[in-house]
Amino acid sequence: MKKILVLCDDVWHPAEVVKRGMRPLAGQEYELDFVEDAKDILTPEMLEEYPLIICCKSNQLSAANVSPWFQEGITEVMAEDLRTYVERGGAFLSAHAGNAFTGEKKEEKAYLDLVGNRFVSHPPRCEVTLKKVKEHPILEGVAETFSVRDEHYRIEMLAEDAEVFLHSVSEAGGVQAAGYTRNIGKGRLCVLTPGHILAVWQNPEFGKMFRNAIKWCLGENAEG
């Protein structure tokens, strides 16, 4: 059974949504270890225990404490340590709130460099259509298009090497990159922007895509 570290919980993205959304993944195949206080629990040594880290939180300590997660001289694992983890062969999946970093705080720059995007804004929750851009192992068995009611993230793409495989489209938000992958050093990174409410996680097509993303990050896909 492969261990997966899941970082979650901030004031706009409660941990309960992520925990309930990922419940079908737990079992014989994966062991999910949820951490909410990433500032005081994580260490670089602890990261090495996991072949995959899933980040579902923005730069806040928790839903009850909006102090920044990354603070130089205080936080044990900074964004630079996350990048080192990936470069050495680890895998990183940034889902929804993991892409809510604006870069307003100087400590966020290294995180933006890692995930390859900067959060701009989102309109009020609306109908969002997810569309396949190209064939990719993460989209194996997933419908060409499907719709969810969600926050439609607008992101500024920063990574020139990003392989975009999914677009999100809405009347209010236009066309946005919603899923892409990168190879960083010896490791792999995947970004998925949907997932604000539990109903998105429970959508069968999103569920298939998310499981495929985990398999791609871990190199388990047939084409991976």
Side-chain angles (χ1 to χ4, degrees), residues 30-60:
Y30 303 115
E31 177 184 344
L32 303 179
D33 190 0
F34 294 93
V35 168
E36 298 175 26
D37 182 356
K39 185 192 297 292
D40 297 322
I41 294 178
L42 297 188
T43 63
E45 294 75 19
M46 182 179 176
L47 300 185
E48 299 303 321
E49 300 175 15
Y50 303 90
L52 171 62
I53 297 171
I54 301 177
C55 182
C56 302
K57 69 186 284 124
S58 63
N59 191 15
Q60 294 178 346

Side-chain angles (χ1 to χ4, degrees), residues 54-86:
I54 301 177
C55 182
C56 302
K57 69 186 284 124
S58 63
N59 191 15
Q60 294 178 346
L61 185 58
S62 69
N65 186 342
V66 298
S67 298
W69 164 13
F70 296 125
Q71 287 184 282
E72 192 68 48
I74 299 177
T75 306
E76 291 295 317
V77 170
M78 296 289 286
E80 293 88 342
D81 298 302
L82 296 176
R83 185 177 187 93
T84 297
Y85 160 84
V86 177

Side-chain angles (χ1 to χ4, degrees), residues 187-213:
R188 291 181 167 195
L189 177 139
C190 176
V191 163
L192 294 173
T193 64
H196 186 77
I197 66 173
L198 181 59
V200 177
W201 292 88
Q202 293 175 333
N203 180 285
E205 300 304 318
F206 181 80
K208 285 186 284 188
M209 183 170 62
F210 196 83
R211 182 178 287 274
N212 287 346

Side-chain angles (χ1 to χ4, degrees), residues 134-136 161-166 179-183 216:
K134 59 181 293 184
E135 296 297 327
H136 195 285
D161 62 343
E163 183 179 353
V164 178
F165 60 83
L166 186 74
Y180 62 84
T181 57
R182 301 178 68 195
N183 290 284
W216 181 86

Side-chain angles (χ1 to χ4, degrees), residues 7-19 35-36 55-64 66 95-101 119 122 125 150-151 153 193-197 201:
L7 309 179
C8 59
D9 203 46
D10 66 53
V11 68
W12 301 113
H13 308 93
E16 185 177 4
V17 171
V18 176
K19 290 179 178 180
V35 168
E36 298 175 26
C55 182
C56 302
K57 69 186 284 124
S58 63
N59 191 15
Q60 294 178 346
L61 185 58
S62 69
V66 298
H96 192 63
N99 306 294
F101 289 72
F119 175 76
H122 68 77
R125 293 183 199 177
D150 202 12
E151 287 183 346
Y153 269 21
T193 64
H196 186 77
I197 66 173
W201 292 88

Side-chain angles (χ1 to χ4, degrees), residues 119-167:
F119 175 76
V120 177
S121 65
H122 68 77
R125 293 183 199 177
C126 60
E127 190 79 3
V128 180
T129 299
L130 300 173
K131 294 186 175 184
K132 182 184 295 187
V133 175
K134 59 181 293 184
E135 296 297 327
H136 195 285
I138 293 176
L139 295 176
E140 183 179 356
V142 179
E144 291 284 333
T145 65
F146 65 97
S147 296
V148 294
R149 178 172 168 78
D150 202 12
E151 287 183 346
H152 189 195
Y153 269 21
R154 298 188 184 103
I155 59 173
E156 176 189 356
M157 293 294 296
L158 303 175
E160 295 182 357
D161 62 343
E163 183 179 353
V164 178
F165 60 83
L166 186 74
H167 279 168

